[in-house]
């Protein structure tokens, strides 16, 4: 059987958290955590799933008017989903050694997202990546937070990749700021999908 062949090759059973970890690696969105009816596909960085349909046809469908309005306003006029990986724990990938006392605490969601000294939003989902040996977190940064902090050209900053990447990012948790690396346009693991393309079915 397939299961027998997998186990013979060394595969073992994994719990439900494995799905969260693997999804975080590749940036696959979770409904209710990374996505809800309060976000547009553009804000969640999956606008490609509907952009072609919007551009090729005027055929009406449920939600069309809202999507057209969001596209006209700008994909990140309100907020934008970002990925942050904590800068800690330099053990090799898949090292089974338990994390030491210097490792950052696990994240559970609702931690704060900081660019330099400005809080821009909150973590919506987080999981530990066993491939990267990093905690990977996703959350939305908000234009309203930029405006409240009097950031120059606040209305355009969420669409400015260079400006976002030029900042120093961290995640606030229990009174501490944990240094992190920003990922905007590609997943932190296998960003070119080479590993996905080489899987044989």
């Amino acid at each position: 059987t397939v299961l027998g062949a997998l186990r013979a090759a060394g595969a073992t059973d994994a719990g439900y958290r494995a799905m969260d970890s693997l999804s975080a690696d590749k940036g696959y969105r979770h409904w209710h955590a990374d996505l809800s009816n309060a976000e547009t596909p553009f804000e969640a960085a999956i606008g490609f799933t509907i952009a072609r349909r919007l551009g090729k046809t005027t055929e009406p469908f449920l939600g069309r008017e809202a999507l057209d309005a969001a596209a006209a306003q700008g994909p990140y006029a309100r907020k934008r989903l970002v990925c942050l990986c904590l800068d800690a724990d330099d053990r090799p990938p898949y090292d089974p050694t338990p994390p030491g006392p210097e490792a950052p605490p696990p994240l559970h969601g609702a931690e704060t997202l900081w660019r330099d000294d400005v809080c821009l939003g909150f973590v919506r989902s987080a999981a530990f990546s066993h491939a990267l040996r990093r905690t990977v977190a996703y959350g939305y940064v908000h234009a309203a937070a930029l405006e409240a902090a009097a950031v120059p050209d606040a209305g355009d900053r969420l669409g400015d990749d260079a400006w976002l990447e030029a900042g120093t990012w961290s995640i606030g948790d229990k009174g501490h700021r944990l240094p992190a690396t920003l990922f905007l346009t590609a997943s932190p693991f296998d960003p070119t999908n080479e590993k996905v393309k080489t899987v044989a079915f």
Side-chain angles (χ1 to χ4, degrees), residues 7 9 22 35 52 57 63 71 73 86 90 93 101 103 109 120-121 130 148 155 177 180 182:
R7 285 183 170 159
L22 295 170
L35 287 170
R52 181 177 296 180
T57 177
Q73 188 180 21
L86 291 186
D90 291 321
L120 297 181
H130 294 275
R177 296 269 290 277
L182 174 71

Side-chain angles (χ1 to χ4, degrees), residues 130-148:
H130 294 275
L132 302 171
R133 302 305 302 182
R134 298 284 188 276
T135 296
V136 183
Y138 291 86
Y140 286 89
V141 291
H142 295 260
L146 290 168
E147 293 166 0

Side-chain angles (χ1 to χ4, degrees), residues 53-70:
R53 186 173 182 184
L54 290 177
K56 283 193 170 184
T57 177
T58 58
E59 179 184 355
F61 57 84
L62 185 63
R64 168 97 200 212
E65 291 182 6
L67 290 172
D68 282 335

Side-chain angles (χ1 to χ4, degrees), residues 6-28:
L6 288 171
R7 285 183 170 159
T12 59
D13 294 333
Y16 185 80
R17 289 290 183 183
M19 184 169 65
D20 292 342
S21 178
L22 295 170
S23 295
D25 279 343
K26 289 297 297 167
Y28 295 156

Side-chain angles (χ1 to χ4, degrees), residues 84 111-115 118-123 139-141 170-171:
L84 293 175
E111 296 85 3
T112 49
L113 301 174
W114 296 77
R115 182 193 181 275
V118 179
C119 180
L120 297 181
F122 297 90
V123 172
Y140 286 89
V141 291
S170 60
I171 295 177

